[in-house]
Structure formats: C-alpha cells, structure tokens
Amino acid sequence: MSEELSRSDLSVLERRIDDLCWTLTKSKINSPNSDFILDQESAFKLFRIFCLLADLVRDEDGNAQVLLSAEEVDLVFNKIIFGVSKKGSMKEDFEIWIAMAVID
C-alpha cells in the first residue's frame, strides 16, 4: 500500500487513523467521574507516544493483540514523571518533555 500512496497521502491516512483510535479511546479514559488532569491535546500526544511503543501481534487464529515492552514503557513513563515534576506549569513542562522525547 505504501508504494501506491504518496508520503503526504500516507500522512493524511495516518492522522485519520490516529483520530479514530483517539476518539474510541478517550471516551474510556476521560469519563465524567475521572480526575483527568491533562487537557485533550496533551492527552492525545501522550496517547500517540504509547501507540508508537506498541506492537500489533496476531495469534494463529488471526486475533490481534497490542503489546508493550515493559522496559520501554518504564523508560517513557519515568521521563514523563521527571518532565512534569519540574517547577512551572504542568502544560509547559509536558510540551517541553514532548519536544525532548521526539528529538531523543
């Protein structure tokens, strides 16, 4: 499929898939009873980071399962905690951390 679509078309397709996955996921994590402290944009960025870490694995019956490496999740989670625990506003720290994570 990637040979049939241009890079810009693939980017648009990826964004649409991201938006659909986020729409399905955010309703589960952002319920009215939750104490959700991130704004929607920051939560989406965090969601995307963990999606990048995920591996889609199919079993012999064709069922798909998303797996995360415990070591990778631990590393990223610790970077997030370190990034948001600094002085300043949480949103500013999160934006700085996202920029650093993308560069790393």
Side-chain angles (χ1 to χ4, degrees):
M1 184 161 114
S2 63
E3 295 174 4
E4 299 171 11
L5 297 173
S6 69
R7 183 175 292 278
S8 63
D9 290 340
L10 283 172
S11 181
V12 169
L13 182 59
E14 179 183 15
R15 180 64 186 182
R16 287 181 181 169
I17 292 170
D18 288 347
D19 289 342
L20 176 61
C21 292
W22 175 242
T23 300
L24 296 173
T25 302
K26 74 179 177 182
S27 64
K28 294 178 182 178
I29 63 172
N30 196 13
S31 70
N33 298 330
S34 71
D35 294 328
F36 206 66
I37 58 173
L38 293 175
D39 60 85
Q40 290 293 315
E41 182 181 349
S42 297
F44 176 72
K45 289 176 181 178
L46 189 59
F47 169 77
R48 284 296 301 136
I49 288 170
F50 283 97
C51 286
L52 291 172
L53 295 175
D55 291 319
L56 185 64
V57 178
R58 294 193 181 272
D59 63 15
E60 61 274 355
D61 297 327
N63 298 318
Q65 185 175 15
V66 177
L67 302 177
L68 295 169
S69 163
E71 294 85 15
E72 289 177 347
V73 171
D74 185 56
L75 176 68
V76 171
F77 183 73
N78 283 319
K79 280 190 163 191
I80 292 169
I81 296 301
F82 176 76
V84 297
S85 66
K86 295 179 183 176
K87 288 186 177 182
S89 85
M90 185 178 205
K91 181 168 175 45
E92 288 173 10
D93 287 343
F94 186 77
E95 293 296 328
I96 292 168
W97 181 85
I98 290 293
M100 290 184 331
V102 170
I103 292 170
D104 287 346

